[in-house]
Amino acid sequence: MKFIPILFSLLLIPATISAQDAVKRDEQQMHRLHNDPKSYIGALEDPKRDAYQKPQEVMMAFGLKPGEVIADIGAGSGYFTFRLAHHIGDRGKVYAVDVSPDMILHINRRIRELKATNVVSILADPDDPLLPDASVNRFFFSDSWHHIDNQTKYLSLMKKMLKAGGEIVMIDFHKKDLPVGPPMQMKIAREDLIKQMETNGFRLTKEHTFLPYQYFLVFMPK
Ligand SMILES: C[S@@+](CC[C@H](N)C(=O)[O-])C[C@H]1O[C@@H](n2cnc3c(N)ncnc32)[C@H](O)[C@@H]1O
């Protein structure tokens, strides 16, 4: 009865790969997930994520204005990209920026499926989002700042790419033991991030505290 082991392994799949965020992963499991685009997309889009990621509340907290230009850096599957696009209307634009060709391919498919005329995907350099100067109202990082290696360079580029009055919005996991999210060594503590932003010429202008596992910070150039 060959189908029993097959069935058994299929039953095991959701426990190991579903919801990057409904399970805790060690570094090895995280790397494996990053190398398996289908599972990674499945994890990012897992409906169980919504319970703590609260995407609707996040959109409301943004206070999005029609016509805004937003750069969603490390857009992944587009979990936030297409929600942002919905709120900024046809005159606005969301740049979906990622270094993974698989994620960009997935986003391009979604752009076509959803007929999203206000989303532009960008396959970027790891240390440069490749956006024009003075072109963006808000940069948005959701669980992606800790992926950027050369953060100092990235901050100085973003300062040039922001329009006057622009913001950087960052959501990421608290550096403490949590039932969800990446391993401890991949996390950046809220206090360290604020210090880093201060050192690089940004000030904290707003903080939202309704997310159970993540900080949600807004910065502007000093
Ligand atoms: C944990 S996912 C977050 C996806 C999305 N922001 C979300 O909240 O669902 C991190 C994403 O960052 C991307 N990434 C990693 N390094 C990057 C870099 N240097 N520049 C842009 N994107 C990067 C990865 O390919 C991945 O899609």
Side-chain angles (χ1 to χ4, degrees), residues 2-214:
K2 256 196 211 140
F3 70 90
I4 290 179
I6 292 170
L7 189 66
F8 182 66
S9 52
L10 281 177
L11 285 173
L12 279 179
I13 288 171
T16 49
I17 63 164
S18 81
Q20 79 156 26
D21 308 297
V23 292
K24 209 151 73 174
R25 288 193 170 79
D26 63 26
E27 214 161 354
Q28 231 183 2
Q29 290 168 315
M30 211 69 186
H31 283 305
R32 232 178 292 141
L33 185 70
H34 290 171
N35 289 326
D36 178 356
K38 222 171 163 188
S39 303
Y40 200 8
I41 289 164
L44 293 169
E45 291 294 327
D46 189 331
K48 286 204 266 317
R49 180 181 175 191
D50 296 354
Y52 79 84
Q53 192 60 87
K54 302 183 184 289
Q56 200 46 39
E57 285 94 325
V58 170
M59 289 302 105
M60 291 301 109
F62 254 91
L64 292 160
K65 299 176 201 82
E68 272 196 57
V69 179
I70 303 183
D72 184 8
I73 308 289
S77 61
Y79 178 87
F80 277 116
T81 307
F82 294 95
R83 288 175 164 97
L84 290 164
H86 176 72
H87 282 87
I88 47 111
D90 288 342
R91 285 188 303 112
K93 193 188 292 178
V94 183
Y95 288 114
V97 178
D98 210 290
V99 290
S100 159
D102 293 307
M103 294 298 169
I104 293 298
L105 192 63
H106 177 75
I107 283 182
N108 286 345
R109 284 200 192 101
R110 284 188 78 182
I111 288 173
R112 190 175 63 179
E113 275 163 25
L114 300 170
K115 298 185 172 58
T117 53
N118 58 356
V119 177
V120 175
S121 66
I122 296 191
L123 182 60
D125 278 342
D127 59 356
D128 186 342
L130 301 177
L131 296 166
D133 284 354
S135 64
V136 173
N137 295 106
R138 300 191 225 205
F139 280 93
F140 179 45
F141 292 83
S142 160
D143 306 338
S144 51
W145 183 242
H146 64 269
H147 286 273
I148 309 284
D149 285 335
N150 194 343
Q151 295 175 335
T152 306
K153 179 179 174 194
Y154 224 88
L155 287 170
S156 83
L157 286 174
M158 285 196 289
K159 215 182 271 179
K160 283 197 259 171
M161 292 165 184
L162 275 177
K163 293 186 190 198
E167 295 178 339
I168 299 180
V169 181
M170 294 198 176
I171 291 178
D172 225 317
F173 288 93
H174 284 291
K175 196 175 175 75
K176 59 182 181 188
D177 198 22
L178 298 171
V180 297
M184 194 69 83
Q185 58 274 28
M186 286 173 76
K187 298 187 211 177
I188 301 171
R190 172 190 169 279
E191 294 68 26
D192 291 341
L193 175 60
I194 294 173
K195 231 181 277 169
Q196 178 189 34
M197 295 299 280
E198 284 279 338
T199 308
N200 286 281
F202 293 87
R203 65 191 167 89
L204 182 67
T205 54
K206 227 177 281 165
E207 176 163 15
H208 304 283
T209 54
F210 60 85
L211 294 173
Y213 305 129
Q214 295 150 303

